[in-house]
Amino acid sequence: MIATPPRQAVAIALAMLAFGALPTQVRAIDPRFELDPRFLDKTAESPAREREERPVRKAARSATGASHYTYTVKPGDHIFKILMKEYGLSNAEAEALVPEVKRLNGITDIRRLHAGQSLRIPLTHRREHADVAERKESKIVRGAPARTDGAGGKRPGSLAAASAGSDGKSASHTMRMMNLAPEQEPANLDAVRQVWGDLVPSRPVSSRPISIEDKSFSLSLDPESFPSFPAADGGRVLVDAGGKIPPLVRSLIEEKDPSVRIVSESPRNRKRFMASLLEGARFYSVADNVALSFGADPKLTVNADFKIEKTPESVLNHDVVLMSVEEYRRGMPPVLVQFLRREGFQVLEPFPAGDQALPRGGRTLHQITAHDTRGIVDGLLRALDVRYEADRSVELYGMSDGGLRLEVRVDRYFEDGRDRYVVSYFDGDPVSYTLTRLLETRGYRVVVLDPKDDFRKVSEKLLARLRLPGVFAQHDLLQYRDAPYGIQMSGVRMRAQGAGGESVFLTNVELDPLFRDLLDYSGYSVISH
């Protein structure tokens, strides 16, 4: 044992006394840079734990996220008023939500609500602003590199790179595009999947993910965030709603697997989304905004958003598809679907509007079935609700006229207020012409007809004498701006007298059962005379 010199012992003792006199709060570093030991115990998954520790917010999400509110309509309500006043939405938010409310409740006109009606109100979008921070945290967690747990296992992440192998060589990189979509799109893709099987029946819609394996990387896409549909040529159409896949990753997918076509249109716009989906499927022919005509008079015009020919033989095989996706149009009635099927067209409506037959009232079609002139006159007078007398003798001069008495036998006679009307036929006989002039001098309003006059001439002469507006032409009976079909027919459109301004259409066109059913479905009352 080596003895300590006396001087060194004294120095050590003094140093110990000096350190012992220091305060107990002495720190090794500036307290501004000191770390809380509890923070060091947190793992990379702490954001997820923090979200779990927020029970109030979680409950709010579960209450408003997946369910729908039910609202009972009050007198004077309309959808905009309900969304803005009852649920506090802004004008822009209400306008964006109206199409979804109409679809959920089968509403065509937002102004036609009746008191006591129950509406389903989806309000998932109301939490968007409140959840921005949470989505950002979610993106950070999904985008963070994978970390190893205590056992050396790899924790999942959206981009995980394997470390170097034990042999010193670099291991392959695994790229997983599993959760790039921040939120689910509101469109009902399940409806598209159901009709897609009719377009590509040989390849059912699969829920398996798209995976690409390479010697330098492995990439897979979550089918929930990035659904896909089989293409007509054997490929697959990948739905990247809103363009969430980074451009470089997209080019990597298209380069490594040309059979995959990526569609970036949002399902919020149904027509643009379906157009891009059909284009990526590579059918033989796809035409948009199609109008098909059947017949001449009456003429049926069928409108569809898309006409699809699957193969070059589709026309010959009567396998052409008509598809409508616009929500503002009413669905095709069953009788029209059956007619189109007989004509070689299959009707697909991914978002059916349901039975939306219009109520009767306000529109009447009178069909004049007679072909001779007298029968046409009688049919028109009955359609106009005019009470007339046939083969009546009218007095031109009586005994009070200086002893002169003259009566004329007329074909049809009727009165309208103070006006007296006579229907007379002129076949070139001078006597008939003279009698007609005498009737006019005595104040009768004479409708002179030729026995060979057809429906058009008879209706024009009769309505002109009655001072009723009406022009014979081929009219649109159904406006197909908001419906998938329209009907054009020759006849006279007018307003009925004393019927509250109701629309009346006079025609002699023969109607087959198809047109009768379509007119009935569209709210017309058809009456034959």
Side-chain angles (χ1 to χ4, degrees):
M1 181 174 180
I2 301 176
T4 304
R7 289 184 178 180
Q8 294 181 3
V10 173
I12 292 173
L14 292 174
M16 294 177 63
L17 290 174
F19 279 108
L22 289 175
T24 58
Q25 298 298 323
V26 172
R27 301 176 186 269
I29 61 175
D30 193 314
R32 292 175 298 172
F33 304 102
E34 191 171 71
L35 298 176
D36 189 342
R38 293 175 298 174
F39 177 79
L40 299 176
D41 293 335
K42 293 185 177 181
T43 65
E45 295 173 327
S46 59
R49 292 182 178 179
E50 291 177 5
R51 288 197 301 276
E52 294 174 356
E53 293 172 359
R54 289 182 282 195
V56 176
R57 184 173 183 176
K58 192 75 175 179
R61 287 175 58 90
S62 62
T64 61
S67 61
H68 298 83
Y69 287 89
T70 300
Y71 178 80
T72 302
V73 177
K74 303 174 183 177
D77 276 349
H78 53 79
I79 292 182
F80 273 102
K81 178 181 178 181
I82 294 171
L83 295 179
M84 297 177 68
K85 181 179 179 181
E86 303 295 336
Y87 296 98
L89 271 64
S90 66
N91 183 75
E93 291 174 338
E95 186 175 357
L97 190 61
V98 164
E100 182 67 12
V101 175
K102 291 171 60 180
R103 185 189 66 81
L104 284 175
N105 297 277
I107 298 173
T108 56
D109 190 343
I110 62 175
R111 298 166 297 181
R112 293 185 178 179
L113 302 179
H114 58 270
Q117 178 180 358
S118 296
L119 298 180
R120 298 171 61 194
I121 308 294
L123 294 178
T124 54
H125 77 290
R126 292 190 65 193
R127 68 171 193 270
E128 288 181 358
H129 297 293
D131 293 346
V132 169
E134 184 169 351
R135 289 204 301 267
K136 288 182 178 179
E137 291 175 358
S138 179
K139 288 181 181 178
I140 293 174
V141 173
R142 291 195 295 263
R147 293 175 171 83
T148 56
D149 55 21
K154 186 171 295 183
R155 292 190 182 127
S158 65
L159 178 59
S163 59
S166 58
D167 57 356
K169 297 181 181 180
S170 297
S172 63
H173 297 277
T174 301
M175 299 178 66
R176 295 176 181 171
M177 308 295 294
M178 299 297 290
N179 293 302
L180 289 179
E183 61 184 33
Q184 186 70 23
E185 290 292 337
N188 185 7
L189 289 182
D190 290 337
V192 180
R193 291 188 182 97
Q194 292 178 4
V195 301
W196 201 261
D198 295 325
L199 292 174
V200 191
S202 59
R203 298 186 60 207
V205 178
S206 174
S207 60
R208 63 182 178 86
I210 290 181
S211 300
I212 299 178
E213 299 291 337
D214 190 80
K215 63 180 181 180
S216 57
F217 72 91
S218 174
L219 183 145
S220 63
L221 297 164
D222 181 14
E224 293 295 328
S225 301
F226 303 97
S228 63
F229 296 85
D233 63 347
R236 298 178 74 182
V237 184
L238 176 66
V239 178
D240 175 24
K244 303 177 183 68
I245 299 178
L248 291 178
V249 178
R250 174 170 179 158
S251 62
L252 185 66
I253 296 173
E254 293 173 341
E255 179 181 353
K256 290 298 181 181
D257 192 351
S259 66
V260 176
R261 298 114 202 190
I262 301 177
V263 172
S264 298
E265 291 290 346
S266 172
R268 296 178 186 270
N269 189 320
R270 292 179 178 177
K271 189 171 183 180
R272 290 177 56 182
F273 171 73
M274 187 59 67
S276 60
L277 202 63
L278 294 173
E279 180 182 2
R282 296 185 180 177
F283 292 100
Y284 173 73
S285 173
V286 177
D288 59 352
N289 299 324
V290 177
L292 304 176
S293 297
F294 302 91
D297 191 12
K299 177 182 177 182
L300 171 65
T301 302
V302 177
N303 297 294
D305 293 325
F306 303 100
K307 180 170 73 75
I308 307 160
E309 296 180 20
K310 306 174 189 177
T311 65
E313 294 79 22
S314 291
V315 176
L316 297 177
N317 296 335
H318 291 75
D319 192 25
V320 179
V321 175
L322 298 178
M323 179 184 293
S324 294
V325 298
E326 290 286 13
E327 60 187 17
Y328 65 86
R329 286 179 173 170
R330 294 185 288 117
M332 290 190 184
V335 63
L336 182 56
V337 174
Q338 296 173 5
F339 168 77
L340 292 172
R341 186 180 295 117
R342 293 193 298 268
E343 295 293 324
F345 297 94
Q346 179 187 6
V347 177
L348 294 181
E349 294 178 302
F351 312 100
D355 186 9
Q356 299 183 20
L358 297 179
R360 292 187 182 182
R363 293 189 290 184
T364 305
L365 184 145
H366 295 274
Q367 183 187 20
I368 313 302
T369 58
H371 298 284
D372 61 291
T373 307
R374 284 181 172 79
I376 295 174
V377 171
D378 292 343
L380 289 172
L381 292 176
R382 287 194 296 268
L384 297 174
D385 197 21
V386 174
R387 296 183 179 181
Y388 64 91
E389 297 180 42
D391 299 326
R392 172 176 170 171
S393 295
V394 298
E395 184 181 80
L396 290 182
Y397 297 97
M399 296 304 296
S400 59
D401 296 318
L404 176 63
R405 181 182 180 88
L406 177 61
E407 292 184 354
V408 178
R409 192 173 188 84
V410 297
D411 195 74
R412 299 290 184 268
Y413 172 84
F414 57 93
E415 297 179 359
D416 183 13
R418 295 183 178 180
D419 292 328
R420 298 172 298 173
Y421 293 88
V422 169
V423 177
S424 178
Y425 297 92
F426 177 68
D427 54 3
D429 184 4
V431 175
S432 299
Y433 175 76
T434 302
L435 292 175
T436 299
R437 295 298 303 274
L438 285 172
L439 288 168
E440 290 177 344
T441 60
R442 301 299 290 179
Y444 291 93
R445 300 183 62 84
V446 183
V447 181
V448 181
L449 299 177
D450 188 293
K452 297 180 180 179
D453 284 345
D454 58 8
F455 175 84
R456 176 175 182 172
K457 292 183 179 180
V458 172
S459 61
E460 288 177 344
K461 291 179 179 179
L462 182 62
L463 295 179
R465 184 58 69 181
L466 290 173
R467 304 187 187 95
L468 294 177
V471 178
F472 183 93
Q474 190 169 53
H475 298 274
D476 289 324
L477 297 187
L478 301 177
Q479 296 292 334
Y480 46 82
R481 289 191 299 267
D482 58 351
Y485 61 95
I487 294 178
Q488 299 82 41
M489 189 182 305
S490 62
V492 179
R493 187 197 301 276
M494 54 178 296
R495 297 287 179 181
Q497 289 182 309
E502 295 181 354
S503 175
V504 174
F505 191 78
L506 308 173
T507 184
N508 68 330
V509 175
E510 296 183 3
L511 300 176
D512 60 23
L514 170 65
F515 285 92
R516 283 183 174 271
D517 290 341
L518 289 177
L519 289 170
D520 181 76
Y521 185 85
S522 302
Y524 270 90
S525 297
V526 180
I527 302 175
S528 298
H529 300 281

